[in-house]
Amino acid sequence: MKFFDVLFGRPLASHEAHAEHIGVAAGIPIFGLDGLTSAAYGPEAAMVLLIPLGLWGVQHYLLPIFGFILTLLTILYLSYRQTIEAYPNGGGSFTVASENLGDGAGLLAAAALMIDYILTAAVGLSAGVTALVSAIPELHHYQLVLCLVILVVIATINMRGVKETGAVFMLPTFLFVGTLLATIAVGVFHSLMSGGHPLAVTAPPPPDFSQIQKFTPLLMTWLLMKAFSNGCAAMTGVEAVSNGVQAFKEPRSRNANRTLTVIIGMLIILLFGLSYVARAYGVTAMDPDATNYQSVLSIEVAAVFGRGWFYYGTMGAVLAALSFSVNTAFADFPRMARAIAGKDYLPHVFLLRGRRLLFSHGIYALTGFTALILILFEGVTDRLIPLYAIGAFLAFTLSQSGMVVHWHKTPDAPHRHLKMFVNGLGAVATGVALLIILVTKFMYGAWVTVLLVPFLIACMLAVKHHYIRVKNETSDPTPLRLTGLEPPIVIIPMARWDKITEKAMRFGLLMSPVVKVVHVDSDDADMLSSVWEEMVLKPIRESSMPEPELVTVKSSYRTILSPLMDYVLKLEDENPGRKIAVLLPELVVRHWWENLLHNQRVQLLKLLLLLKGNQRLVVVNIPWYL
């Protein structure tokens, strides 16, 4: 069995696509892991902002903040159920916004989602490794390296296909959810039994009193808004199911909606439960730059169960689930890129299915961009959070606004006024949240996203402009033209006479009676001229064929490519109505590494000819296989 078959799985035929469709059980880890695992860093993202308020801030404001977030999450859930029903072939923000609000809104949603998916992958990996570092502080200096290694592993698993990916990620997903639910259940039980003041098995680190401050009402409002905007990071990934409806078995919409229901239901329990346990046990966030740093989740589990086998098992499950949560981006980014490329706003290579019926180039692109983001931000979650959620909430707002227009244009849809109200409520709610996130995070890194969105839109418009220009220049509604047909002038660059150049000469004589062999003569002995008469002209004359011309070009500085290019371009100018065919004899080796042992002048000459030539210049490769 080939190495690639072992690593990535055997190639799949097109007719096997239906076997790759998934059900609810596989859909949860594939499309829901990002949303579910946000419970591991969402509460902490809000609690970090509450550090200046100490334990009092957590006890008084953490649950109200997540009450607002969960209300918003419920509205989004109801809205996306309707999107899935209305778009059974995939209703991502780009599709919904493009069809209902126009291409401009679609591009805005596309740019926002691309940024969001890249950040989803980066934050998931970073948060997963942070969980590992919390359990084993000695690994703190290797945080970035661990992020990159896990990224390569995830990308490799995703190259095996959607179905196998779901099977691989199912166990870590249910271990993650199960251990956190156990933590919540035991923590809530102890809290109720102790009258709201449970005794921690391992005492949480005391609040950092050096940072505790007093705030005016205005500054307190600003602080709580920032905490809310950070906590909204827990809502990213909600759109994933609506974007990937085509991956589900029939009936697609029903299976997709069941998957979304399970994901959102579990996420609500996890977010509220972990916030409640943190409040009950007096858990506060730690400064991420502290040498003894622990994540909020690590502190909570230790407080409820102690640092025993369950603690390390939970941290292992959190690491695996958070690392694998990037799979949501890997599942959706290629599909979204394909939809955008289908409208000519991205390179058409994103339309191609790979050996496992995947849009492989989308996976390659996502892997590269995620690695770049991790390197730039050194794999630290808190440095990435300010950039996070903006793209997601912009996409949420555009998608829900597009759905309002969709129902307005569908007068025969049942209960369309109720559906318009739900989607309209979703658009308003996410729009308000987006404004809060933008205002509170702008100076802390959100400005990067604000600049990236128009930059990506400009890039997509440039791609579209290119495809339009190519289509206009290459379209030809006229029948085949048979006038002005004559054999081309054939040029064969030749250094010496051998089997490779003989093959090129034979093909050239078949193409045209006008063949010019160009030999660049440097300081070395002119070996071609010495054999030209005997090896070429003599057989030609005996067969009464048109004689090829040997053109020797002097090169005083031992360069080969420049004299060849000058001759070809000069001949092109001298024959304005004639096609010029350049035949390039090329040695083809058996192994890729053998290319390093041979001169690459042919490849460079080909590139120069393609760049400097025009419509009358034709480049033909004449391969000789070893």
Side-chain angles (χ1 to χ4, degrees):
M1 185 177 288
K2 294 181 180 179
F3 172 75
F4 281 102
D5 289 350
V6 175
L7 189 62
F8 301 118
R10 66 173 181 82
L12 296 177
S14 298
H15 68 270
E16 296 180 271
H18 68 281
E20 289 294 294
H21 291 160
I22 59 174
V24 175
I28 293 170
I30 291 175
F31 295 108
L33 202 47
D34 171 42
L36 291 172
T37 54
S38 64
Y41 55 81
E44 178 166 9
M47 290 170 68
V48 165
L49 273 300
L50 298 178
I51 289 177
L53 300 178
L55 185 58
W56 181 84
V58 171
Q59 291 178 338
H60 285 80
Y61 294 113
L62 185 61
L63 289 182
I65 287 171
F66 273 90
F68 282 111
I69 291 174
L70 295 182
T71 301
L72 189 56
L73 182 61
T74 303
I75 294 171
L76 269 181
Y77 161 68
L78 296 173
S79 300
Y80 272 109
R81 281 189 62 91
Q82 298 181 171
T83 304
I84 290 170
E85 291 177 4
Y87 288 88
N89 292 322
S93 294
F94 171 73
T95 303
V96 175
S98 295
E99 290 189 8
N100 298 292
L101 302 176
D103 284 349
L107 288 178
L108 185 59
L113 272 181
M114 281 194 281
I115 294 171
D116 179 59
Y117 282 135
I118 294 168
L119 288 173
T120 291
V123 170
L125 284 168
S126 174
V129 173
T130 298
L132 177 63
V133 170
S134 297
I136 311 174
E138 292 81 5
L139 296 176
H140 190 273
H141 296 294
Y142 305 99
Q143 188 160 339
L144 175 59
V145 175
L146 289 169
C147 286
L148 295 176
V149 169
I150 296 173
L151 173 63
V152 172
V153 173
I154 301 298
T156 303
I157 294 173
N158 271 275
M159 291 298 294
R160 295 186 65 90
V162 175
K163 195 170 185 179
E164 290 196 29
T165 302
V168 171
F169 293 162
M170 200 176 294
L171 179 60
T173 302
F174 292 120
L175 276 176
F176 169 82
V177 173
T179 53
L180 292 195
L181 286 177
T183 301
I184 292 168
V186 174
V188 170
F189 174 76
H190 286 164
S191 176
L192 295 176
M193 295 300 293
S194 63
H197 300 286
L199 183 64
V201 179
T202 300
D208 186 355
F209 293 103
S210 65
Q211 296 193 41
I212 294 178
Q213 306 170 31
K214 290 186 178 181
F215 292 87
T216 64
L218 184 61
L219 287 177
M220 178 67 76
T221 303
W222 176 252
L223 180 69
L224 295 178
M225 288 173 62
K226 287 172 64 178
F228 169 79
S229 66
N230 264 23
C232 284
M235 294 177 57
T236 58
V238 174
E239 191 194 53
V241 177
S242 69
N243 231 343
V245 177
Q246 284 185 309
F248 288 91
K249 297 176 181 177
E250 295 290 353
R252 289 176 179 172
S253 295
R254 184 184 302 171
N255 284 325
N257 267 330
R258 286 176 178 173
T259 303
L260 180 65
T261 301
V262 173
I263 292 169
I264 299 300
M266 288 194 296
L267 180 57
I268 289 174
I269 294 171
L270 291 177
L271 287 173
F272 188 80
L274 290 173
S275 300
Y276 180 86
V277 171
R279 178 179 177 274
Y281 280 83
V283 175
T284 56
M286 296 182 66
D287 185 349
D289 295 323
T291 53
N292 61 338
Y293 168 75
Q294 289 186 66
S295 67
V296 167
L297 190 59
S298 169
I299 298 171
E300 284 190 52
V301 178
V304 176
F305 288 103
R307 281 182 167 260
W309 66 268
F310 187 86
Y311 169 83
Y312 286 102
T314 301
M315 289 298 102
V318 171
L319 167 63
L322 280 168
S323 301
F324 291 161
S325 70
V326 308
N327 185 69
T328 300
F330 276 96
D332 271 3
F333 184 91
R335 286 183 170 84
M336 181 194 66
R338 182 211 178 207
I340 300 170
K343 293 197 173 185
D344 297 336
Y345 287 109
L346 281 181
H348 287 170
V349 70
F350 288 108
L351 295 170
L352 304 178
R353 286 182 180 267
R355 61 199 305 278
R356 294 285 294 177
L357 298 175
L358 301 162
F359 302 109
S360 306
H361 290 86
I363 295 177
Y364 304 150
L366 179 60
T367 303
F369 286 126
T370 303
L372 178 62
I373 290 292
L374 286 170
I375 291 169
L376 289 175
F377 290 88
E378 299 179 348
V380 178
T381 308
D382 287 288
R383 295 177 185 172
L384 292 163
I385 287 292
L387 283 71
Y388 202 34
I390 296 172
F393 273 82
L394 178 55
F396 292 161
T397 304
L398 289 169
S399 175
Q400 299 312 303
S401 301
M403 286 303 300
V404 172
V405 177
H406 170 79
W407 298 125
H408 181 72
K409 296 190 300 185
T410 315
D412 56 339
H415 312 294
R416 75 183 186 103
H417 291 292
L418 176 61
K419 293 176 178 178
M420 284 177 67
F421 172 77
V422 172
N423 286 129
L425 181 63
V428 172
T430 55
V432 171
L434 174 62
L435 290 175
I436 294 173
I437 293 169
L438 273 175
V439 171
T440 56
K441 292 186 176 183
F442 189 83
M443 296 305 297
Y444 299 93
W447 62 268
V448 176
T449 305
V450 173
L451 291 179
L452 276 177
V453 167
F455 173 75
L456 287 175
I457 292 174
C459 290
M460 288 187 282
L461 288 172
V463 171
K464 177 76 169 183
H465 177 74
H466 169 78
Y467 280 126
I468 291 174
R469 184 169 64 87
V470 169
K471 184 178 180 180
N472 291 338
E473 289 192 19
T474 57
S475 60
D476 188 1
T478 61
L480 176 65
R481 299 185 298 275
L482 299 176
T483 57
L485 293 178
E486 60 178 325
I489 297 174
V490 174
I491 299 175
I492 307 176
M494 193 176 295
R496 61 183 176 274
W497 184 255
D498 54 22
K499 289 183 178 180
I500 306 173
T501 50
E502 188 218 11
K503 181 180 180 181
M505 179 66 78
R506 285 169 56 83
F507 190 77
L509 293 170
L510 285 173
M511 288 183 66
S512 173
V514 184
V515 177
K516 297 180 182 291
V517 175
V518 183
H519 175 67
V520 178
D521 182 19
S522 60
D523 295 340
D524 301 324
D526 190 352
M527 298 178 63
L528 182 61
S529 297
S530 61
V531 300
W532 180 256
E533 181 71 28
E534 180 181 355
M535 296 295 184
V536 180
L537 293 184
K538 184 178 178 181
I540 289 280
R541 288 166 182 162
E542 288 175 355
S543 300
S544 302
M545 296 178 66
E547 293 185 14
E549 178 185 356
L550 176 61
V551 179
T552 301
V553 179
K554 292 293 182 181
S555 176
S556 303
Y557 297 97
R558 298 162 302 284
T559 58
I560 302 297
L561 298 182
S562 294
L564 278 173
M565 282 300 306
D566 291 342
Y567 178 80
V568 172
L569 297 176
K570 179 183 176 184
L571 192 66
E572 193 178 47
D573 291 338
E574 293 174 350
N575 298 271
R578 197 81 176 267
K579 295 281 187 185
I580 308 292
V582 182
L583 308 190
L584 300 178
E586 184 176 5
L587 182 66
V588 181
V589 294
R590 292 187 178 183
H591 306 99
W592 65 267
W593 54 266
E594 292 178 321
N595 282 303
L596 303 174
L597 306 176
H598 297 278
N599 202 313
Q600 296 300 309
R601 287 174 178 167
V602 170
Q603 302 300 332
L604 290 173
L605 180 59
K606 185 195 307 182
L607 179 63
L608 288 172
L609 289 168
L610 292 173
L611 291 175
K612 295 187 176 183
N614 57 33
Q615 301 290 1
R616 293 187 294 113
L617 188 65
V618 180
V619 181
V620 183
N621 271 80
I622 308 296
W624 178 271
Y625 297 91
L626 282 180

